[in-house]
């Protein structure tokens, strides 16, 4: 960045976003606390406010409005798929020693 652009940027007053947009985002988040920036953007578009999703994300970051309910860090990996297949009957019941050979195989 050149020094002239740097000093020019110091004196410029950039718009931090309209307060009405911030109020609309807050109202959407209060009505739906599980909404992230993508669904907030869609809700604003349904209200007739055409705004970029990156602007919504920036405003939500600045105002601490991001959704924390479905963060990747909150969920741990779980590979359990339930009972798969059929479970065999427990015919041995931990009685492994018999007086004759191959007696257990005849019971099964």
């Amino acid at each position: 960045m050149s020094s002239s652009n740097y000093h020019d940027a110091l004196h410029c007053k950039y718009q931090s976003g309209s307060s009405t947009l911030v109020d609309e985002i807050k109202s959407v988040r209060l009505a739906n606390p599980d909404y992230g920036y993508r669904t907030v953007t869609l809700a604003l578009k349904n209200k007739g406010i055409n705004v970029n999703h990156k602007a919504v994300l920036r405003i939500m970051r600045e105002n601490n409005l991001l959704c924390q309910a479905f963060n990747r860090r909150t969920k741990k990996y779980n590979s359990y798929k339930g009972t798969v297949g059929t479970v065999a009957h427990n015919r041995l019941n931990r009685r492994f020693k018999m007086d004759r050979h191959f007696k257990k195989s005849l019971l099964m």
Side-chain angles (χ1 to χ4, degrees):
M1 181 179 214
S2 66
S3 61
S4 61
N5 283 342
Y6 172 75
H7 291 291
D8 186 43
L10 286 179
H11 298 293
C12 269
K13 293 182 180 178
Y14 293 105
Q15 293 181 353
S16 63
S18 63
S19 61
T20 58
L21 182 61
V22 175
D23 293 337
E24 286 293 326
I25 291 174
K26 285 182 180 180
S27 68
V28 169
R29 281 283 291 146
L30 286 175
N32 305 296
D34 289 337
Y35 275 12
Y37 76 95
R38 292 182 182 101
T39 48
V40 168
T41 305
L42 291 175
L44 291 174
K45 286 186 181 181
N46 288 337
K47 286 186 175 183
I49 302 170
N50 193 10
V51 64
N52 192 356
H53 63 95
K54 291 182 261 186
V56 173
L57 177 61
R58 180 180 48 81
I59 291 171
M60 289 177 73
R61 276 185 187 151
E62 290 171 357
N63 296 307
N64 294 327
L65 295 173
L66 287 176
C67 178
Q68 298 297 327
F70 304 107
N71 193 355
R72 287 186 185 178
R73 294 179 193 147
T74 59
K75 292 184 182 180
K76 292 190 176 181
Y77 177 72
N78 187 6
S79 65
Y80 180 70
K81 295 180 182 178
T83 56
V84 179
T86 58
V87 178
H89 296 290
N90 187 10
R91 294 183 181 170
L92 285 177
N93 292 325
R94 299 200 53 83
R95 291 177 290 144
F96 300 118
K97 295 182 181 178
M98 289 302 292
D99 55 348
R100 290 187 285 179
H101 293 292
F102 304 112
K103 173 86 178 200
K104 293 294 182 182
S105 64
L106 294 176
L107 290 176
M108 292 181 181

